[in-house]
Amino acid sequence: MKYRYLGKTGLQLSELSLGSWITFHNQANIDKTVELMAAAYDAGANFFDNAENYSAGKSEEVMGAALKKLGWRRGSYLISTKLFWGLHDNPNEKNTLNRKYLLEAIDGSLKRLGTDHVDLLFCHRPDPHTPIEETVWAMHNNIERGKALYWGTSEWEAADILRAIEIAERHHLHKPVVEQPVYNLFQRHRFADAYTPVYEEHGYGSTTWSPLALGLLSGKYNNGIPAGSRGSLEAFSWLKEQLTDAKRLAMVSKLAPMAEEMGASLAQFSLAWCLKNPHVSSVITGASSVRQIEENMKSAEFVDRFDEDLMRRIDDIFVEV
Ligand code: NDP
């Protein structure tokens, strides 16, 4: 496993990490989560991503219980959580990045995760109703109170990130240092184009999500929805449309010979493509089995095979996205 600096910070993240989103609690109980996290950790992954709203807090609880069983030294791994959507259907407790919510919600996350601090704390989405200045101060205060070590944004516009950095610099506050954007072969332009000044001029880091486009880029949906897959989960039936989109499936089929040529699985090929981008600090993978983790964690072996010619051939397939 290689480690990359989180932008210009001194923090090193494994270039492949593991997220909990749909998997923990829905597909993996505590014991299975222990196995998944151990497989990633044994392969060198040091970063585990979570969010307050994943399975309404249950995902944090499962990860917290798994960490307790695993008993790893706290310094040997990083965990994150993300705040915005909230757990309670009240004003000031949902869809907000206001000061009250950010300073109170973090305590619930820490309790569920069984830790006194998270390493990375994200604003899970932008909040157009709270001044960015209020959010920047609250995130700074969470760091000052020792509840988080670094903070960042997820799916914010580049202009808003630049504004947050400017406010923090003006008041000598802890700046946001990392964005968590979607990045995969289908959804790449915002990350690859719009954020360039944020990465290049401000040394922002990135932890990217859904690298396999929910599993589609592993090729597993090429012949329908396999039993037990994410696409078969009743509670997530809203994902089915994306996972059975004929145009996307046709694009995935065209990648198969390229992956085969380099001796990689489609999942490894698609993950290696993400890793090729130097602005990526860590690709957050998702997995419902140890076998998937073992396969995915080997994808870095193929990054050097993505030369200009191959990148062009890939772009020709995804020209319409
Ligand atoms: P992916 O797009 O990589 O999808 C992961 C899923 O694909 C797995 O759970 C598994 O599903 C399937 N899969 C993975 N590897 C393989 C393989 N080798 N062969 C076959 N199938 C495979 O990532 P996620 O969508 O899970 O996102 C990763 C993480 O990113 C999340 O856990 C979360 O931490 C973060 N995230 C952040 C968001 C944000 O807004 N900031 C939004 C979404 C995610 P199965 O086996 O069940 O079919």
Side-chain angles (χ1 to χ4, degrees):
M1 180 66 72
K2 288 192 185 133
Y3 299 84
R4 297 186 183 188
Y5 281 98
L6 185 68
K8 272 194 196 153
T9 73
L11 189 71
Q12 295 184 63
L13 270 64
S14 51
E15 59 185 3
L16 292 159
S17 45
L18 183 67
S20 69
W21 178 29
I22 288 177
T23 324
F24 293 12
H25 175 68
N26 295 299
Q27 291 170 289
N29 61 13
I30 294 167
D31 287 339
K32 175 101 179 273
T33 298
V34 165
E35 285 174 24
L36 297 176
M37 291 181 72
Y41 188 79
D42 290 347
N46 73 350
F47 169 45
F48 300 90
D49 184 63
N50 214 317
E52 179 198 47
N53 76 314
Y54 292 169
S55 305
K58 295 276 183 226
S59 182
E60 290 178 328
E61 278 175 19
V62 168
M63 189 186 274
L67 283 168
K68 197 169 171 195
K69 284 197 168 191
L70 286 160
W72 298 331
R73 225 170 359 87
R74 183 65 182 88
S76 69
Y77 64 91
L78 309 164
I79 43 178
S80 66
T81 197
K82 307 191 267 301
L83 303 174
F84 171 68
W85 278 292
L87 299 178
H88 305 284
D89 196 15
N90 286 316
N92 298 319
E93 289 190 279
K94 62 168 188 177
N95 302 346
T96 182
L97 294 177
N98 74 20
R99 178 172 182 77
K100 177 174 168 62
Y101 169 72
L102 291 175
L103 292 186
E104 291 175 354
I106 183 67
D107 290 333
S109 287
L110 295 178
K111 193 167 174 208
R112 287 185 290 276
L113 287 164
T115 181
D116 62 357
H117 70 277
V118 286
D119 300 279
L120 306 179
L121 180 61
F122 289 92
C123 294
H124 209 159
R125 284 295 179 271
D127 169 12
H129 305 292
T130 298
I132 291 179
E133 188 153 3
E134 180 174 336
T135 297
V136 171
W137 270 102
M139 294 300 270
H140 165 81
N141 290 146
N142 268 333
I143 291 182
E144 291 285 285
R145 292 158 79 218
K147 313 250 171 174
L149 304 185
Y150 300 83
W151 77 274
T153 52
S154 181
E155 296 294 329
W156 280 33
E157 294 291 339
D160 289 342
I161 295 172
L162 294 174
R163 175 112 181 86
I165 292 172
E166 184 274 317
I167 290 167
E169 282 178 344
R170 183 150 36 93
H171 297 287
H172 303 288
L173 308 176
H174 289 287
K175 288 188 258 192
V177 295
V178 54
E179 162 66 18
Q180 188 166 131
V182 65
Y183 186 54
N184 58 52
L185 281 154
F186 295 114
Q187 295 161 284
R188 48 164 123 174
H189 296 295
R190 185 145 90 148
F191 179 76
D193 306 329
Y195 289 143
T196 302
V198 182
Y199 298 120
E200 292 191 350
E201 290 163 32
H202 294 275
Y204 223 57
S206 73
T207 56
T208 61
W209 57 268
S210 287
L212 297 181
L214 309 168
L216 193 63
L217 285 161
S218 71
K220 73 193 299 173
Y221 293 97
N222 287 4
N223 301 309
I225 297 180
S229 66
R230 183 178 288 189
S232 71
L233 301 176
E234 265 318 304
F236 295 90
S237 55
W238 50 279
L239 297 175
K240 264 189 199 154
E241 202 179 317
Q242 292 178 55
L243 293 170
T244 52
D245 181 79
K247 219 161 138 187
R248 286 187 168 210
L249 287 169
M251 291 178 186
V252 175
S253 298
K254 287 187 190 161
L255 291 179
M258 297 181 191
E260 211 172 307
E261 217 174 279
M262 64 171 76
S265 69
L266 258 175
Q268 289 170 328
F269 180 92
S270 305
L271 293 168
W273 178 88
C274 296
L275 284 172
K276 172 84 181 165
N277 188 324
H279 293 145
V280 171
S281 311
S282 184
V283 173
I284 312 176
T285 65
S288 66
S289 69
V290 169
R291 189 200 58 73
Q292 288 174 359
I293 290 178
E294 287 171 350
E295 178 182 334
N296 297 349
M297 292 292 152
K298 287 191 192 129
S299 53
E301 289 171 18
F302 301 96
V303 178
D304 291 344
R305 309 285 288 276
F306 285 73
D307 58 19
E308 274 181 34
D309 175 56
L310 178 59
M311 291 302 264
R312 233 187 338 264
R313 283 161 61 205
I314 296 170
D315 287 347
D316 287 345
I317 295 174
F318 290 88
V319 72
E320 290 171 39
V321 300

